[in-house]
Amino acid sequence: MRRALCPVETLYVGQRSRAVLSCSVRGHLDAAALSTAFDTLTAEHPGLRARIASDGSGYALEFLPDTERPRLILRTGGPEVYDEELNSPLSVGGPLARAVLATEPGAERHLLVLTVDHIITDGHSAITLLNALWDRYGALVEGTGARPTPPPAGAELLSVDWPAPVSELLPPSDESETAKYLEWRLTETGRHPVELVPYDTPRQDPEAVVGAGSTTNGQAAAVTTGAAGTADGHRIEVRRLLLDAGHTARLRQLARETGVSVHGLVSAALLIAARHRLGGDGPRVLGCLSPVDLRSRLTPPLSPTVMVAAVSTHLQAVTVDTDTEPLALAREVGVHLRDSIERGDHFQDMRIMPEVPRNPALQTGTVIATNMGSVPGPRLPEGAEVTDVRLVPAREQYFPQAGRSPLMACVVSFDGRLAIEFPHYTACFSAAFMEALRDDVRSTLLSFAAATTATAATAATGSGAAADAPSVSAPRA
């Protein structure tokens, strides 16, 4: 039994994008119980035991043979396993998920890496899946969960409840209104073209610039990664910015006091760092692309346990100068995003997403700032503890020949600590370049946190009214 991919899902086939979640654990783990827990989840979610298949002029999800379904892979290893998994693709025609548990010699330190194709997940459902896996594991080792009985071979073919694509769950809309919205978006992107940050690696060929989501003309020049990177040694790497709980709390406090969102603060820091890398004097038009969660905005809301990609996008062009005030920029980004969501633009942006291959500028931002918000990390039974959790987006297609591209930042706060992951392909941006970018973003965020401390001190002495300023509700995106 098959389920055809909708036009939006089909875009992800060409991108080969995926979510890579990792969880570092210290203590005793029962590998057999974790393997069983993973099997129970794949049994419940059809997409986790499916593959992409050709379906006429499009694609569909179809079940894998039982012998090819993803199982927990057990191996010996340490932190290097993360890099290997980050550079190991989920190929078309193969499983859409992979789970690896690496245990260091001595059996006290473990690394779980869970990779899921973007066709069947988004950030919220990926995090929910990871936490559900550990919840199942805890129930099994503590004896509160029954050992599952595998269904008879082929039983799922009799009745499958495939989750519907989100594009079919959108509120009704007149086609003429969607056409007008598309025309307006094309006009706006034409009037306000945004600048992209040039690669700092040698340019191989003067190809035209393509957007991060483009799967059309630039695809012939794409570079596909493999388990060890490409033949020339290039690979996906990640620079990471991690704030402690204190700085994260102060960042949130500033957001409350000033009426901006944390997403706005992070986006402003990214835009300022990008502007610094364009050089020269004077203002530049930069684009901020923000994925927008649709689950909470559908009627009825869609649970994060449903394994589908339920995300739209919001692109805004902003003017950034070398001396742009960060908090003012954060407020501008936040207000623009809030107003767009109030108008329901995220639904229209989902409807016009199939136009992106023909018009990449619809989703081409100088920076891409995802934000999962504040979420709980996994909970493990006694005897084991989680020491780190990460969520990093990756894909298989990169375009070093383009000479420039958006800067990607994945933002999520696990258990009160804000982390920003900067994935990059080494044929495009070098490690030194991305480390410097990360450090610039960190400096701006720490200046925000320091401003909160200064505001609190001023309020305590009664010498200012900043703490009493009214706040404006802003969405968390």
Side-chain angles (χ1 to χ4, degrees):
M1 182 178 292
R2 290 183 166 190
R3 199 271 266 170
L5 299 184
C6 74
V8 173
E9 293 171 328
T10 299
L11 294 181
Y12 299 136
V13 178
Q15 291 177 357
R16 307 306 310 122
S17 54
R18 50 199 164 92
V20 181
L21 300 103
S22 63
C23 186
S24 299
V25 177
R26 180 171 54 230
H28 172 72
L29 280 185
D30 184 338
L34 187 60
S35 179
T36 299
F38 184 65
D39 288 343
T40 67
L41 288 177
T42 59
E44 292 179 6
H45 296 283
L48 292 178
R49 54 188 198 278
R51 64 184 172 194
I52 303 168
S54 296
D55 187 47
S57 60
Y59 295 93
L61 297 176
E62 71 173 14
F63 280 112
L64 289 160
D66 188 67
T67 55
E68 297 180 25
R69 288 183 183 178
R71 313 286 183 183
L72 180 66
I73 300 169
L74 304 178
R75 57 170 294 184
T76 301
E80 74 283 355
V81 174
Y82 178 82
D83 296 329
E84 294 172 9
E85 286 300 302
L86 190 64
N87 283 277
S88 296
L90 294 170
S91 59
V92 174
L96 299 179
R98 183 175 60 249
V100 175
L101 178 67
T103 300
E104 295 185 16
E108 286 299 313
R109 292 184 180 274
H110 317 266
L111 176 67
L112 174 72
V113 184
L114 179 61
T115 305
V116 188
D117 197 296
H118 196 7
I119 288 174
I120 60 168
T121 196
D122 51 24
H124 289 289
S125 59
I127 292 170
T128 300
L129 181 69
L130 178 67
N131 287 342
L133 175 59
W134 286 113
D135 289 344
R136 298 289 177 87
Y137 168 78
L140 288 169
V141 300
E142 292 176 343
T144 58
R147 294 273 171 175
T149 301
E156 72 278 358
L157 300 179
L158 301 178
S159 177
V160 181
D161 189 15
W162 291 100
V166 172
S167 58
E168 296 180 3
L169 304 178
L170 303 179
S173 175
D174 187 275
E175 291 185 4
S176 63
E177 291 301 315
T178 300
K180 289 179 183 178
Y181 182 80
L182 173 60
E183 182 179 2
W184 172 73
R185 283 292 319 279
L186 291 173
T187 300
E188 288 297 300
T189 56
R191 289 173 54 194
H192 306 289
V194 302
E195 293 193 53
L196 302 183
V197 175
Y199 297 147
D200 71 318
T201 54
R203 190 172 179 181
Q204 301 177 26
D205 188 56
E207 295 283 335
V209 174
V210 294
S214 173
T215 58
T216 52
N217 296 332
Q219 193 167 12
V223 174
T224 302
T225 65
T230 55
D232 58 4
H234 289 295
R235 56 193 290 114
I236 304 170
E237 294 185 355
V238 186
R239 281 32 259 185
R240 191 185 195 197
L241 191 167
L242 181 63
L243 298 185
D244 60 27
H247 284 108
T248 301
R250 287 194 287 276
L251 202 63
R252 291 177 180 166
Q253 181 183 345
L254 178 68
R256 290 192 299 269
E257 291 173 350
T258 58
V260 302
S261 63
V262 172
H263 177 71
L265 297 175
V266 173
S267 298
L270 290 168
L271 288 165
I272 288 172
R275 172 63 188 89
H276 289 165
R277 276 144 188 84
L278 291 174
D281 299 322
R284 302 289 185 89
V285 177
L286 307 185
C288 182
L289 184 70
S290 302
V292 178
D293 172 45
L294 292 180
R295 293 175 183 270
S296 61
R297 298 179 172 96
L298 294 171
T299 304
L302 187 66
S303 168
T305 61
V306 180
M307 296 290 295
V308 291
V311 62
S312 183
T313 58
H314 169 73
L315 176 64
Q316 59 177 294
V318 293
T319 301
V320 184
D321 209 334
T322 54
D323 59 351
T324 291
E325 203 281 313
L327 189 57
L329 180 58
R331 181 174 288 105
E332 179 182 357
V333 170
V335 169
H336 197 286
L337 176 59
R338 180 196 64 196
D339 291 347
S340 174
I341 290 175
E342 289 181 351
R343 290 193 302 267
D345 289 352
H346 47 289
F347 293 132
Q348 293 287 31
D349 280 309
M350 185 71 161
R351 295 185 184 102
I352 69 171
M353 203 173 291
E355 296 295 324
V356 171
R358 291 183 288 273
N359 301 281
L362 290 171
Q363 285 193 352
T364 300
T366 312
V367 300
I368 302 173
T370 72
N371 197 333
M372 301 301 110
S374 182
V375 297
R379 298 292 179 262
L380 272 63
E382 187 176 352
E385 63 173 332
V386 174
T387 59
D388 195 16
V389 187
R390 301 179 70 174
L391 168 62
V392 175
R395 67 181 195 270
E396 314 316 329
Q397 304 288 358
Y398 291 86
F399 305 91
Q401 293 85 352
R404 61 193 66 221
S405 75
L407 296 167
M408 179 72 179
C410 179
V411 186
V412 62
S413 296
F414 283 108
D415 293 325
R417 300 183 66 192
L418 185 142
I420 306 177
E421 306 279 3
F422 296 90
H424 64 101
Y425 191 62
T426 58
C428 302
F429 294 111
S430 68
F433 180 95
M434 295 303 294
E435 286 169 0
L437 176 83
R438 174 202 60 196
D439 293 345
D440 279 1
V441 173
R442 185 198 304 274
S443 294
T444 302
L445 294 181
L446 291 181
S447 71
F448 284 140
T452 305
T453 303
T455 300
T458 301
T461 60
S463 58
D468 297 324
S471 63
V472 179
S473 176
R476 186 190 75 185

